[in-house]
């Protein structure tokens, strides 16, 4: 390679210049000693709107990087260049019109005979379309993840999501010595509802119950999930026993006020729910599974004792 960065092949430099300026990539060269642009391709004006002569120094380059990208990109490129390492950087570049375009800078470090950094040469590539595609893919991935955590019928979180949330809240409550409450909810005589009205009406009923419970349980970081079948689970972070019972009562009252007709119920003519409630400050002496089993037993007791009730101990 010659001193000016051109390959030492004997080919007319004008040929190289023509080839470089006919590509969509934008070639450039910066003198390391002066930090001045020795060259930048005319394609830069078509892409960003800035004229060739407006690229005088690396300061012009830095100032045309998006503020959120600038520090990261400049520090990285300077460090890599000082170390004599070829590198790449992606960032948003400011256009003359005030918009931003995603750029990938591919940088080659040119050394002199002593091995010292003499210049930087590279290419800028417009990667806006690639970034848009990546963002769309990330959006689709987020949607798929959201769907994987959502119950398709009720729109609530599903059991998989519940397992994640209860484990996280249990760990956080334990580390902070804060209370955590759990409410397990079951629709009374739901099998008989399905048998009497059919599964389509049963699905509509589940959706209605989910909406009512969600409205009654809102507040703070309260988290409601469909636990399975006709059963729901309500996680109440930083909630003591008495407050948890009040929220459980709101849920029961919301279903009662809705007066969903249930002609096949053995305890009345409207749909009801049974609830088990537990509260604790997690510690090493009690694990999550025993706590959940305790709350589940209270739900079972509520059903055993006649349904349409809340059990908080026993």
């Amino acid at each position: 390679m010659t001193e000016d960065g051109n390959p030492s092949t004997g080919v007319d430099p004008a040929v190289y210049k023509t080839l470089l300026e006919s590509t969509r990539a934008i070639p450039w060269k910066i003198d390391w000693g002066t930090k001045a642009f020795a060259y930048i391709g005319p394609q830069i004006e078509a892409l960003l709107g800035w004229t060739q002569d407006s690229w005088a120094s690396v300061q012009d380059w830095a100032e045309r990087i998006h503020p959120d990208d600038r520090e990261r990109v400049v520090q990285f490129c300077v460090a890599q260049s000082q170390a004599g390492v070829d590198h790449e950087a992606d960032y948003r570049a400011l256009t003359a019109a005030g918009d931003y375009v995603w750029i990938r800078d591919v940088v080659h470090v040119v050394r002199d005979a002593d091995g010292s950094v003499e210049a930087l040469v590279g290419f800028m590539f417009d990667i806006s379309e690639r970034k848009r595609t990546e963002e769309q893919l990330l959006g689709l991935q987020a949607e798929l993840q959201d769907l994987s955590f959502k119950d398709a019928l009720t729109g609530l979180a599903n059991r998989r999501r519940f397992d994640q949330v209860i484990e996280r809240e249990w760990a956080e409550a334990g580390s902070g010595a804060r209370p955590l409450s759990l409410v397990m909810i079951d629709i009374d005589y739901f099998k008989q509802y399905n048998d009497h009205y059919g599964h389509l009406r049963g699905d509509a009923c589940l959706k209605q119950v989910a909406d009512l419970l969600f409205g009654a349980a809102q507040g703070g970081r309260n988290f409601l999930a469909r636990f399975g079948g006709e059963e729901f689970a309500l996680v109440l972070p930083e909630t003591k026993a008495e407050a948890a019972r009040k929220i459980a009562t709101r849920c029961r009252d919301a279903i009662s006020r809705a007066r969903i007709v249930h002609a096949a119920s053995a305890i009345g003519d409207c749909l009801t729910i049974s609830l088990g409630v537990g509260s604790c400050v997690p510690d090493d002496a009690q694990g999550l599974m025993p706590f959940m089993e305790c709350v589940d037993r209270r739900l079972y007791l509520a059903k055993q004792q006649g349904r349409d009730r809340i059990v908080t101990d026993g």
Side-chain angles (χ1 to χ4, degrees):
M1 181 171 285
T2 63
E3 291 184 358
D4 63 359
N6 290 321
S8 53
T9 61
V11 179
D12 185 349
V15 174
Y16 283 109
K17 187 172 185 292
T18 300
L19 288 172
L20 288 173
E21 294 182 358
S22 65
T23 67
R24 295 185 66 182
I26 302 166
W28 55 265
K29 179 179 179 181
I30 290 174
D31 178 76
W32 184 251
T34 64
K35 303 299 186 294
F37 273 92
Y39 176 77
I40 190 166
Q43 305 98 311
I44 194 68
E45 186 168 356
L47 178 61
L48 298 180
W50 305 105
T51 59
Q52 280 179 281
D53 58 13
S54 72
W55 297 82
S57 71
V58 293
Q59 188 64 30
D60 298 309
W61 166 74
E63 288 178 354
R64 291 165 183 172
I65 296 176
H66 193 289
D68 293 344
D69 302 337
R70 185 177 299 140
E71 183 177 359
R72 168 184 61 82
V73 171
V74 171
Q75 288 183 357
F76 172 75
C77 290
V78 168
Q80 295 298 99
S81 298
Q82 287 175 336
V85 178
D86 294 349
H87 54 280
E88 298 180 3
D90 293 354
Y91 56 88
R92 288 162 290 181
L94 178 68
T95 70
D99 301 317
Y100 285 94
V101 173
W102 272 103
I103 293 291
R104 171 164 294 170
D105 244 332
V106 179
V107 185
H108 172 65
V109 181
V110 179
R111 297 173 179 273
D112 60 20
D114 297 328
S116 300
V117 178
E118 178 182 282
L120 305 177
V121 296
F123 287 92
M124 291 182 184
F125 296 88
D126 178 3
I127 60 168
S128 299
E129 187 59 37
R130 181 186 305 177
K131 282 292 182 179
R132 279 192 289 271
T133 301
E134 289 175 358
E135 289 171 1
Q136 289 172 353
L137 287 173
L138 288 173
L140 288 173
Q141 289 173 354
E143 287 181 24
L144 288 172
Q145 184 178 43
D146 184 54
L147 289 172
S148 73
F149 288 134
K150 184 178 291 186
D151 176 60
L153 175 64
T154 64
L156 297 178
N158 59 17
R159 174 64 185 272
R160 180 185 178 195
R161 182 61 174 158
F162 167 82
D163 289 342
Q164 288 188 342
V165 169
I166 192 70
E167 288 178 8
R168 184 191 69 221
E169 295 294 356
W170 180 268
E172 290 185 5
S175 64
R178 295 187 294 268
L180 176 69
S181 294
L182 175 65
V183 182
M184 301 296 292
I185 306 165
D186 190 80
I187 300 176
D188 297 324
Y189 297 109
F190 189 70
K191 181 182 182 302
Q192 289 79 358
Y193 187 97
N194 264 336
D195 292 343
H196 185 80
Y197 295 105
H199 288 284
L200 290 179
R201 284 278 298 276
D203 287 350
C205 176
L206 278 171
K207 179 68 170 64
Q208 184 178 2
V209 168
D211 291 343
L212 290 166
L213 293 176
F214 184 81
Q218 283 190 43
R221 298 204 318 274
N222 298 353
F223 173 83
L224 179 67
R226 185 181 179 189
F227 195 73
E230 66 270 25
E231 196 167 353
F232 301 85
L234 176 58
V235 182
L236 304 171
E238 300 187 41
T239 304
K240 295 181 179 180
E242 184 56 34
R245 181 178 178 86
K246 288 181 179 178
I247 293 171
T249 300
R250 287 209 310 261
C251 290
R252 178 173 172 265
D253 291 347
I255 302 302
S256 178
R257 286 194 302 270
R259 297 195 60 78
I260 303 168
V261 176
H262 187 351
S265 173
I267 57 172
D269 56 3
C270 289
L271 195 82
T272 59
I273 57 174
S274 298
L275 306 93
V277 182
S279 303
C280 75
V281 176
D283 57 31
D284 294 336
Q286 183 181 29
L288 174 57
M289 285 306 298
F291 173 66
M292 291 178 60
E293 289 168 355
C294 174
V295 178
D296 194 55
R297 284 195 299 272
R298 292 176 183 180
L299 172 60
Y300 177 77
L301 281 173
K303 295 165 72 71
Q304 192 178 49
Q305 292 172 8
R307 294 178 169 83
D308 189 22
R309 67 194 62 221
I310 301 168
V311 172
T312 57
D313 53 25

